[in-house]
């Protein structure tokens, strides 16, 4: 029994020393007394379960490391694109500010033009009233010219009658001889005055006729001016209506652009916040990747295979196993002896 106890202690001591040296492939295969067979089986099963668990942890850690690196790359890319989007949104917001200011200025200028058109319309309407008054005045002048023409006709008739009377008076003075010489001189002077009055009446009549023609021409021109003013008033009213529509549309566009500008500013603010959050997420992902690498390094410090080169050549980047590790009390003896030396 002492020899057997020494062998048992030596076997278990050697195995425990290997475990202490992080070699989990250690197993007790030495021929021991039958009483120690259950203890040897339990030790080998425990080591197999521990190896399997650490191998699963290593595989999961490798998968997590790959996923974290992919997430980190994706978040870095997302961060760059978010920053670019934020810059684009900021430029769009600045452009919208300029467009809003331009539309607002255009609306203000259009409103000023509308006021000028209203003022011009009022002036043109006043001009139309003045034209009507001028037409009425020219009509009155034409009527006065007609009255003056009638008076000159009377003056011409009076001069003709006076001339006849003076002629008769001269005849009678000639019959009277020397006694009628003085009367004959007066009759001659009266004839001269009558002739001059007739000539003046004819000249006045000719001038009045010419004035009447000029008045008629002036009335026609003023009438054409009134028609042109009516056309201008109609066109100005139409222009005023279009300008009113432009002012209303520009005001609505300015209000809509202001709303869009506010929305873009909100998007810009949110995009900046999203960029900051993505940057924080990226930093967290890089930190987590570092920690996963440290965990993987810690697990690699254990010897889990009898042939480490074969284990090192394996690709551990596979999906995380969904089946849980079997319970220790259901694992048969030697079930976890993976790739032991043949």
């Amino acid at each position: 029994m002492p020899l057997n106890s020494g062998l048992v202690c030596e076997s278990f001591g050697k195995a425990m020393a290997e475990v202490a040296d992080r070699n989990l492939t250690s197993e007790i295969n030495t021929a021991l007394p039958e009483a120690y067979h259950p203890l040897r089986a339990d030790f080998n099963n425990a080591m197999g379960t521990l190896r399997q668990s650490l191998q699963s942890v290593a595989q999961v850690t490798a998968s997590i490391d790959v996923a974290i690196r992919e997430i980190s790359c994706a978040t870095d890319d997302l961060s760059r694109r978010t920053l670019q989007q934020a810059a684009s949104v900021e430029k769009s917001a600045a452009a919208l500010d300029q467009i809003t200011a331009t539309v607002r200025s255009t609306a203000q200028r259009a409103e000023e033009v509308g006021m000028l058109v209203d003022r011009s319309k009022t002036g043109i309407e006043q001009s139309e009233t003045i034209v009507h008054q001028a037409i009425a005045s020219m009509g009155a002048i034409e009527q006065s010219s007609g009255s003056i023409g009638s008076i000159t006709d009377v003056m011409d008739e009076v001069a003709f009658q006076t001339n006849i009377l003076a002629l008769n008076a001269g005849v009678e003075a000639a019959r009277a001889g020397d006694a009628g010489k003085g009367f004959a001189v007066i009759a001659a002077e009266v004839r001269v005055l009558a002739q001059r009055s007739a000539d003046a009446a004819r000249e006045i009549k000719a001038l009045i006729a010419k004035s009447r023609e000029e008045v008629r021409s002036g009335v026609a021109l003023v009438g054409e001016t009134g028609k042109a003013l009516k056309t201008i008033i109609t066109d100005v009213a139409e222009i005023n209506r279009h300008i009113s529509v432009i002012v209303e549309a520009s005001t609505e566009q300015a209000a809509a652009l202001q709303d869009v500008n506010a929305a873009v500013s909100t998007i810009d603010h949110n995009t900046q916040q999203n960029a900051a959050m993505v940057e924080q997420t990226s930093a967290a992902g890089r930190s987590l990747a570092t920690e996963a690498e440290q965990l993987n390094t810690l697990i690699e410090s254990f010897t889990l295979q009898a042939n480490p080169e074969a284990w090192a050549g394996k690709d551990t980047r596979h999906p995380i196993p969904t089946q849980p590790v079997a319970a220790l009390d259901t694992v048969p003896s030697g079930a976890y002896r993976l790739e032991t030396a043949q």
Side-chain angles (χ1 to χ4, degrees):
M1 287 300 294
L3 293 177
N4 293 335
S5 298
L7 181 61
V8 171
C9 291
E10 182 182 359
S11 299
F12 278 94
K14 182 180 179 181
M16 295 301 293
E18 292 177 353
V19 172
D21 196 28
R22 297 185 179 183
N23 182 8
L24 301 183
T25 61
S26 176
E27 290 186 354
I28 300 174
N29 296 319
T30 306
L32 299 177
E34 186 176 356
Y36 294 98
H37 287 180
L39 181 60
R40 182 182 61 184
D42 292 339
F43 178 83
N44 291 338
N45 287 337
M47 295 305 298
T49 302
L50 182 59
R51 283 196 306 273
Q52 181 65 24
S53 299
L54 288 179
Q55 287 175 358
S56 299
V57 171
Q59 293 174 356
V60 171
T61 303
S63 299
I64 292 174
D65 182 62
V66 173
I68 289 174
R69 293 182 185 278
E70 291 177 353
I71 292 173
S72 180
C73 292
T75 52
D76 288 338
D77 185 38
L78 179 59
S79 177
R80 288 191 297 270
R81 285 185 294 177
T82 305
L83 290 175
Q84 293 176 356
Q85 183 180 3
S88 299
V89 172
E90 186 176 1
K91 291 181 180 178
S92 300
L96 279 175
D97 281 337
Q98 294 179 355
I99 293 173
T100 302
T102 303
V103 171
R104 189 182 295 112
S105 177
T106 302
Q108 184 177 359
R109 293 180 182 275
E111 187 175 359
E112 292 176 356
V113 171
M115 295 173 62
L116 291 175
V117 170
D118 285 335
R119 195 180 307 168
S120 300
K121 182 181 178 183
T122 303
I124 293 173
E125 289 176 351
Q126 293 177 354
S127 300
E128 185 182 15
T129 303
I130 294 173
V131 167
H132 287 303
Q133 293 176 355
I135 292 174
S137 298
M138 287 185 177
I141 292 172
E142 186 177 8
Q143 291 178 359
S144 299
S145 298
S147 299
I148 294 172
S150 299
I151 294 172
T152 54
D153 289 339
V154 174
M155 291 174 61
D156 191 17
E157 184 66 25
V158 169
F160 179 73
Q161 296 295 331
T162 301
N163 190 17
I164 292 176
L165 290 174
L167 181 61
N168 291 331
V171 172
E172 292 297 329
R175 289 179 181 177
D178 293 335
K181 287 182 179 180
F183 188 74
V185 173
I186 295 172
E189 292 295 332
V190 171
R191 287 182 61 189
V192 171
L193 292 175
Q195 186 63 38
R196 289 175 64 183
S197 296
D199 292 339
R202 283 193 294 272
E203 290 178 0
I204 292 172
K205 188 174 182 180
L207 292 173
I208 290 174
K210 185 177 180 180
S211 298
R212 292 180 68 180
E213 291 297 328
E214 291 178 353
V215 167
R216 289 194 186 96
S217 178
V219 169
L221 293 175
V222 172
E224 293 296 329
T225 303
K227 292 179 181 179
L229 286 175
K230 287 183 180 180
T231 303
I232 293 173
I233 290 174
T234 302
D235 294 339
V236 168
E238 186 69 16
I239 293 171
N240 190 21
R241 186 178 68 82
H242 287 298
I243 289 177
S244 298
V245 174
I246 292 172
V247 169
E248 184 178 358
S250 298
T251 304
E252 293 178 355
Q253 289 176 0
L257 283 174
Q258 188 172 1
D259 294 338
V260 172
N261 193 14
V264 171
S265 298
T266 302
I267 294 173
D268 185 18
H269 180 67
N270 293 334
T271 304
Q272 296 289 344
Q273 290 183 342
N274 291 339
M277 293 176 63
V278 169
E279 183 65 24
Q280 293 175 357
T281 303
S282 179
R286 288 192 294 269
S287 177
L288 188 58
T290 302
E291 294 176 357
E293 185 177 358
Q294 292 176 355
L295 179 60
N296 193 23
T297 302
L298 181 61
I299 293 176
E300 288 178 353
S301 65
F302 290 93
T303 302
L304 302 178
Q305 299 292 332
N307 187 3
E309 295 181 355
W311 171 255
K314 282 191 174 183
D315 185 7
T316 59
R317 293 176 296 177
H318 55 78
I320 299 174
T322 57
Q323 297 295 331
V325 180
L328 295 179
D329 56 351
T330 59
V331 179
S333 176
Y336 291 97
R337 297 179 184 178
L338 300 177
E339 298 181 8
T340 57
Q342 299 295 329

